[in-house]
Amino acid sequence: MLIHVVSAGETLWQIANRYAVPVQSISQLNALATPDQLAIGQSLVIPSPYTIYTVQKGDTLWSIAQKFSVPLQSIILENHLTNPDQLTPGTKLIIPPIVHIVQPGETLWQIAQRYGTTVQAIAIENKLNNPNMLYVGSQLMILRKLPTIEVNAYSYQPSDEAVDSINAIGHLLTYFSPFAYKMKEDGTLQPITDENMIAAAKAKHIIPMLTLTNFTSTEEGSNLAHVVLSNAELRKKVMNNVLQVMQDKGYQVLNIDFENVLPADRENFNAFIQLAVDTLHPKGYLVSTALAPKTSASQTGTLYEAHDYEAHGRIADFVVLMTYEWGYRLGPPQAISPINEMRRVVEYALTEIPADKILLGFELYARDWLLPHVKGQEAETFSPQEALNRAIKYGATIQYDPTAQSPFYRYVDEQGRQHEVWFEDARSAQAKFDMTKHYNLRGISYWALGFPFPQNWVLLNDNFSVKKS
């Protein structure tokens, strides 16, 4: 896939002709509500066997050519590089597809073995009616072997809507996490209606993950966490109730999402995770946790201090880094998941937690702030798709912050009020996928289903092979 950024005056017809692809293909891939109206600065995913690679620190052209199994010279020619020995980190390179020229005596099986793919994949990609009949000198397009990751998605949608989401994108999920079972001060759990969601997930070979939490949209949960975590008997009661629900409902993984835990309860929190492992592992279940986005072990604040990265990484089977909410709904306008801040969190996490235990948090929503921002004034939250629709409606020019690697724009509404919108697009999604690959992370965790962002799922499928149960 390629990513195209719309310039002033460009039409979808012109863009389609530039890349020699049908207008309808671009429109469908990006779920364009108004194909005849595009915003300046809007990013479009273009169906193409070519791909974009962002140069990383330490890369050489030779290492990139080896990584993608293409001739070094083809990268030079494709990108019109005048000095191939000088690559600047952050530079975008167009990588041509792998093309194999059939040699005398070769079979499709031999070619598939050479490139680590399958006969079926080559036959489908090249529309071969008879895979046993190859012509010497013919060219075969070879799909690259993609890195395999795990993908989780939380959802706080009503049951029917969650089932619709699972049916739409479930082929790209490893785990599905209904949000959430809230523990109570007496050690019992507040039930949720999740039977249909779990059934839909299993039908798509998705592992249901029970999320246990201490908070709601109106309660921070600090006192509740203290009551339970500071009492060994209550900790045990909660875990026994969790085990019962998992066995009754068919959950296979527990995700402990305790937030705003008091610093004094840090060791009790660690003990609770160990109890979860001791209780669930013998039954064949896994345990994961959700971690606030810390950048150092000494970071202060109720959100951070009780989250012991070293202990979680050592005890739990994997963790979710909640790398979002810099652009908080009650705070001033800014990128919700700036890549520079996410990188700081990941790099600290890797000093305490193995890479193969880390799921990178990825938000699926946009925010619209009124300007000037007044302290405590709440931003509107909606989908990236709605963010695009608003940009088109109000004639806004979409800008892209190169440091945060996030798109944003400003507009004036019908009442004359100024707004600032930050959201995700194809470019920011690709930046997060590049980070996942660069640090060899276990995978990605989305918060949350219910916010349409079709470009994300197209690019996820293009970048990774998703592990299924």
Side-chain angles (χ1 to χ4, degrees):
M1 297 290 174
L2 296 175
I3 297 173
H4 177 85
V5 179
V6 178
S7 299
E10 273 193 318
T11 66
L12 195 60
W13 183 86
Q14 291 171 325
I15 296 166
N17 274 276
R18 172 178 173 178
Y19 293 100
V21 298
V23 168
Q24 191 65 16
S25 295
I26 301 176
S27 181
Q28 289 180 347
L29 209 60
N30 294 274
L32 298 180
T34 54
D36 57 335
Q37 292 179 291
L38 300 175
I40 299 171
Q42 176 179 353
S43 68
L44 295 171
V45 177
I46 308 295
S48 171
Y50 288 74
T51 190
I52 300 291
Y53 178 73
T54 304
V55 176
Q56 305 292 322
K57 185 177 180 181
D59 276 341
T60 66
L61 208 57
W62 182 86
S63 69
I64 295 170
Q66 291 294 303
K67 180 184 184 75
F68 288 95
S69 301
V70 296
L72 186 148
Q73 192 62 27
S74 66
I75 300 178
I76 294 174
L77 293 173
E78 195 67 51
N79 294 275
H80 309 291
L81 298 179
T82 55
N83 191 347
D85 294 326
Q86 287 189 352
L87 291 179
T88 305
T91 300
K92 308 286 186 183
L93 293 177
I94 297 175
I95 308 296
I98 301 170
V99 177
H100 179 84
I101 299 175
V102 178
Q103 302 300 310
E106 273 190 324
T107 66
L108 205 58
W109 183 85
Q110 291 171 325
I111 297 169
Q113 291 295 300
R114 173 176 175 179
Y115 293 101
T117 184
T118 64
V119 168
Q120 184 183 24
I122 299 175
I124 292 173
E125 181 66 21
N126 294 275
K127 299 179 174 61
L128 300 178
N129 294 323
N130 186 352
N132 295 317
M133 188 177 293
L134 296 179
Y135 297 96
V136 175
S138 62
Q139 295 185 344
L140 296 175
M141 195 81 71
I142 310 294
L143 292 178
R144 293 186 178 89
K145 187 175 181 181
L146 301 176
T148 299
I149 63 167
E150 294 183 354
V151 178
N152 171 57
Y154 293 101
S155 173
Y156 54 87
Q157 298 169 280
S159 181
D160 289 348
E161 292 179 20
V163 169
D164 289 342
S165 293
I166 291 168
N167 290 334
I169 53 87
H171 60 291
L172 294 172
L173 298 181
T174 310
Y175 308 103
F176 172 72
S177 307
F179 198 83
Y181 280 83
K182 182 191 173 189
M183 64 181 183
K184 299 180 182 180
E185 290 189 4
D186 63 358
T188 60
L189 306 183
Q190 185 172 306
I192 60 175
T193 305
D194 52 5
E195 291 83 359
N196 291 343
M197 296 183 240
I198 293 171
K202 289 187 174 182
K204 291 283 186 178
H205 304 288
I206 303 167
I207 299 170
M209 182 155 69
L210 185 154
T211 301
L212 178 68
T213 191
N214 66 314
F215 68 95
T216 67
S217 58
T218 56
E219 300 173 355
E220 289 189 351
S222 298
N223 184 64
L224 170 60
H226 174 70
V227 169
V228 174
L229 294 178
S230 63
N231 185 310
E233 286 303 312
L234 279 177
R235 294 199 299 261
K236 188 172 182 180
K237 185 177 179 181
V238 168
M239 277 315 308
N240 287 338
N241 284 322
V242 166
L243 175 60
Q244 190 64 55
V245 173
M246 293 181 74
Q247 291 175 327
D248 291 346
K249 297 285 187 75
Y251 284 104
Q252 298 173 49
V253 185
L254 170 65
N255 180 246
I256 303 169
D257 183 3
F258 288 178
E259 300 182 27
N260 305 304
V261 178
L262 298 174
D265 288 318
R266 175 184 171 113
E267 291 307 319
N268 289 329
F269 188 10
N270 292 344
F272 183 78
I273 301 167
Q274 186 64 62
L275 174 64
V277 168
D278 294 342
T279 304
L280 299 181
H281 274 189
K283 303 293 185 180
Y285 300 137
L286 299 180
V287 175
S288 63
T289 65
L291 286 169
K294 294 175 67 167
T295 55
S296 72
S298 59
Q299 191 164 342
T300 58
T302 305
L303 192 63
Y304 309 103
E305 290 181 55
H307 283 201
D308 184 340
Y309 271 41
E310 186 279 330
H312 286 240
R314 172 170 42 83
I315 301 169
D317 296 292
F318 61 90
V319 303
V320 172
L321 297 184
M322 295 186 286
T323 39
Y324 30 75
E325 286 297 298
W326 278 270
Y328 179 49
R329 61 186 172 84
L330 296 176
Q334 60 177 303
I336 301 167
S337 292
I339 203 79
N340 55 315
E341 298 293 349
M342 294 175 71
R343 185 176 294 110
R344 292 178 64 213
V345 174
V346 170
E347 290 182 348
Y348 163 62
L350 288 170
T351 67
E352 305 277 15
I353 306 169
D356 62 4
K357 282 191 173 188
I358 296 174
L359 295 185
L360 181 70
F362 189 143
E363 40 80 24
L364 288 175
Y365 51 90
R367 286 216 166 111
D368 182 327
W369 286 266
L370 275 172
L371 298 179
H373 174 69
V374 177
K375 186 177 180 181
Q377 183 173 271
E378 184 171 353
E380 185 182 359
T381 301
F382 45 78
S383 71
Q385 204 72 351
E386 172 60 20
L388 280 177
N389 294 340
R390 290 191 187 191
I392 292 168
K393 176 181 178 180
Y394 293 103
T397 295
I398 297 171
Q399 302 177 66
Y400 194 73
D401 186 308
T403 301
Q405 293 200 33
S406 294
F408 69 99
Y409 62 86
R410 289 187 173 185
Y411 72 92
V412 178
D413 67 18
E414 292 83 354
Q415 287 77 45
R417 301 174 301 177
Q418 193 171 43
H419 296 246
E420 185 167 316
V421 176
W422 287 85
F423 64 110
E424 298 288 336
D425 70 358
R427 293 168 292 180
S428 64
Q430 187 60 54
K432 293 172 178 61
F433 297 150
D434 289 343
M435 175 182 287
T436 302
K437 288 186 278 192
H438 178 68
Y439 292 108
N440 296 310
L441 303 182
R442 183 187 186 103
I444 291 166
S445 178
Y446 288 104
W447 180 270
L449 296 184
F451 296 101
F453 184 15
Q455 291 180 334
N456 165 76
W457 305 109
V458 170
L459 289 172
L460 178 68
N461 187 59
D462 190 58
N463 278 268
F464 302 105
S465 173
V466 176
K467 185 176 180 181
K468 303 294 286 185
S469 64

